[in-house]
Amino acid sequence: MASDRDHDVPVYTSTARKFHWTTVLLLLAQFPIGLYMTYRGSAMEYVNEAGETKVGLWDATTGFLYDAHKTIGVIVLLLITARLIYRLTKGAPPSDRSLPPALIGVSHLTHWLMYLLLIAIPVAGYLGTSYYGALSPFGIPLPVVTAKDEKFAEQVFEVHELMAFALLALIALHIGAAIYHRFVRKDRIVERMLPKKIV
Ligand code: HEM
Ligand code: HEM
């Protein structure tokens, strides 16, 4: 993928940058919703109409958050599939040759691991929900792909959660790298991916 504008650093195309920042925005909603909905549904204390203290509130808000999480998750899966096809066919701008090869290696590894998790996490979420028999967020009948098995669904959700935390760790490393490039090394790597209006 060659530079798509007149600039002295080879940048990602505007399509690649739109894919990147749309993914960031969706994940910015998806992670807090996932964590808060499971907290409401399993750990939140509330007082019921009889005045008893209970744990795990399954009201309309919790249901709405689960539906929103499933819907956004399916959108992320479709988006990342399109993004990966684009990435594999169009490539990326060449790496900055002034960077140590080890750093380039770590950054490529981080990027491909993030892609892998961005596919595997929603696939696991979808499979778990299918096993659980709850694949109709907001009444949208999504294709059921497995038999019902609630016990197995719980194991699949464990894997879903584990991978989500692994992705969070990689995102932290990735953002740390962006800060390092911008403020310590003071190079122009971050400009390769910033939205066009900012650069
Ligand atoms: C990239 C996309 C996704 C991310 C980053 C993500 C992240 C998360 C996170 C952080 C949790 C909370 C984990 C916990 O504390 O138990 C969670 C739970 C959950 N996710 Fe996702 N998720 C994604 C996609 C999906 C999809 C596509 C579905 C289903 C269609 C889904 C269904 C669920 C369900 C049902 C739970 C609750 C599991 C439980 O109650 O144990 N997720 N997800
Ligand atoms: C949810 C958070 C994020 C995810 C999942 C993510 C994911 C990715 C992925 C997969 C790539 C590789 C692109 C490719 O070669 O196809 C990438 C590149 C990049 N990201 Fe992010 N990113 C996130 C947040 C951020 C943030 C907050 C910044 C801050 C400026 C940032 C800056 C960059 C830059 C500069 C590149 C290009 C690196 C290079 O030129 O080698 N990302 N990101």
Side-chain angles (χ1 to χ4, degrees), residues 79-151:
L79 180 83
I80 294 295
T81 306
R83 183 174 170 189
L84 256 183
I85 292 170
Y86 181 84
R87 175 65 169 81
L88 292 171
T89 53
K90 306 272 173 170
S95 304
D96 180 344
R97 294 200 177 277
S98 70
L99 290 172
L103 211 59
I104 295 178
V106 171
S107 84
H108 287 177
L109 183 67
T110 309
H111 293 166
W112 287 111
L113 280 176
M114 286 197 288
Y115 276 130
L116 185 73
L117 289 172
L118 283 168
I119 292 282
I121 293 166
V123 165
Y126 196 97
L127 284 177
T129 310
S130 181
Y131 277 116
Y132 205 79
L135 261 183
S136 50
F138 302 118
I140 308 160
L142 295 174
V144 175
V145 289
T146 64
K148 207 172 168 208
D149 183 343
E150 285 186 22
K151 274 262 163 296

Side-chain angles (χ1 to χ4, degrees), residues 36-180:
Y36 183 52
M37 73 188 193
T38 47
Y39 163 71
R40 280 184 80 94
S42 63
M44 192 164 128
E45 284 190 6
Y46 69 102
V47 179
N48 69 11
E49 280 163 8
E52 300 155 332
T53 302
K54 297 271 177 191
V55 176
L57 177 57
W58 279 97
D59 62 353
T61 306
T62 308
F64 173 85
L65 292 171
Y66 266 80
D67 281 358
H69 183 84
K70 291 172 195 171
T71 309
I72 297 170
V74 170
I75 293 170
V76 171
L77 180 58
L78 297 176
L79 180 83
I80 294 295
T81 306
R83 183 174 170 189
L84 256 183
I85 292 170
Y86 181 84
R87 175 65 169 81
L88 292 171
T89 53
K90 306 272 173 170
S95 304
D96 180 344
R97 294 200 177 277
S98 70
L99 290 172
L103 211 59
I104 295 178
V106 171
S107 84
H108 287 177
L109 183 67
T110 309
H111 293 166
W112 287 111
L113 280 176
M114 286 197 288
Y115 276 130
L116 185 73
L117 289 172
L118 283 168
I119 292 282
I121 293 166
V123 165
Y126 196 97
L127 284 177
T129 310
S130 181
Y131 277 116
Y132 205 79
L135 261 183
S136 50
F138 302 118
I140 308 160
L142 295 174
V144 175
V145 289
T146 64
K148 207 172 168 208
D149 183 343
E150 285 186 22
K151 274 262 163 296
F152 190 61
E154 275 163 30
Q155 284 173 283
V156 177
F157 283 131
E158 293 280 323
V159 177
H160 179 66
E161 180 183 5
L162 219 87
M163 291 193 296
F165 285 120
L167 178 61
L168 264 189
L170 288 175
I171 291 172
L173 181 70
H174 183 64
I175 294 175
I179 292 169
Y180 167 73

